[in-house]
Amino acid sequence: MLISLTVIVQKTMAADRKKMIRSLNKYVLPKLHDINFTGTFPHFRRDMADRINFISFHFDTQGGGFVIDVANCNINGFMTASEQIIPLDKLTAHYFVDKFRIKAKMNGKNGRDDWFRYDRLCFFGLGDITKKVCREVILKLETAKEYWENGPVN
């Protein structure tokens, strides 16, 4: 009984995540393309004259939420702390120590409660929670703009 319940929960989590990704592709990705980002979900980049901007979506391993990491890299490439050179075409925001994390609640706390959550119902259970989350993400992209322009360059 416990095993079958676990399988049901895992299948539901996977279906919810797929629905969230479809909504992000439909509503958020066009906004990223409008500001010249390229790539495929979950990793995108934008080449600038003096830096490369990155944005990556990072999903909660326990399901139901995600955060967005943004980072900058100089145009000459990136070397890890272990002196491994990562080719520019393989870089994502996840490689960088100096990065900025966009969350639903930008209150400085760390924890899954401040992530963008799609495992909760809309007000009175009406509407599509994934569309609501996408609207929140679009509003938060302004905070990324400031970081891409003035944040540290790895």
Side-chain angles (χ1 to χ4, degrees):
M1 179 70 173
L2 182 60
I3 292 173
S4 62
L5 182 58
T6 301
V7 170
I8 290 169
V9 169
Q10 288 173 342
K11 286 182 179 181
T12 302
M13 284 174 30
D16 289 348
R17 179 176 171 165
K18 285 179 183 177
K19 183 178 180 186
M20 186 70 245
I21 291 170
R22 280 193 305 273
S23 290
L24 288 165
N25 279 315
K26 182 176 181 179
Y27 300 109
V28 177
L29 268 53
K31 302 293 185 190
L32 292 176
H33 291 151
D34 287 348
I35 56 174
N36 300 317
F37 274 85
T38 60
T40 57
F41 197 85
H43 306 294
F44 304 90
R45 62 184 285 149
R46 175 176 62 182
D47 295 332
M48 306 299 284
D50 64 336
R51 66 183 69 204
I52 301 169
N53 302 141
F54 294 92
I55 183 167
S56 293
F57 293 79
H58 175 74
F59 282 82
D60 186 344
T61 56
Q62 296 178 4
F66 66 92
V67 292
I68 303 166
D69 291 329
V70 297
N72 295 310
C73 178
N74 72 60
I75 58 175
N76 298 319
F78 178 73
M79 184 183 299
T80 66
S82 61
E83 298 185 1
Q84 177 187 6
I85 296 174
I86 308 296
L88 287 174
D89 63 334
K90 302 292 182 199
L91 280 174
T92 69
H94 299 307
Y95 277 100
F96 304 108
V97 173
D98 286 329
K99 60 186 168 194
F100 180 67
R101 180 159 276 182
I102 300 174
K103 304 174 283 189
K105 298 176 187 168
M106 302 292 286
N107 57 15
K109 295 179 182 177
N110 288 321
R112 288 187 172 93
D113 286 340
D114 57 347
W115 289 33
F116 294 100
R117 302 302 310 179
Y118 56 90
D119 58 354
R120 299 186 176 130
L121 294 176
C122 283
F123 192 63
F124 292 118
L126 302 172
D128 181 350
I129 187 66
T130 64
K131 286 181 186 178
K132 178 184 180 289
V133 170
C134 286
R135 285 191 298 270
E136 291 175 18
V137 168
I138 291 166
L139 291 173
K140 293 288 197 270
L141 286 178
E142 278 300 310
T143 61
K145 182 180 177 186
E146 171 68 23
Y147 188 87
W148 286 318
E149 292 174 0
N150 301 310
V153 178
N154 293 286

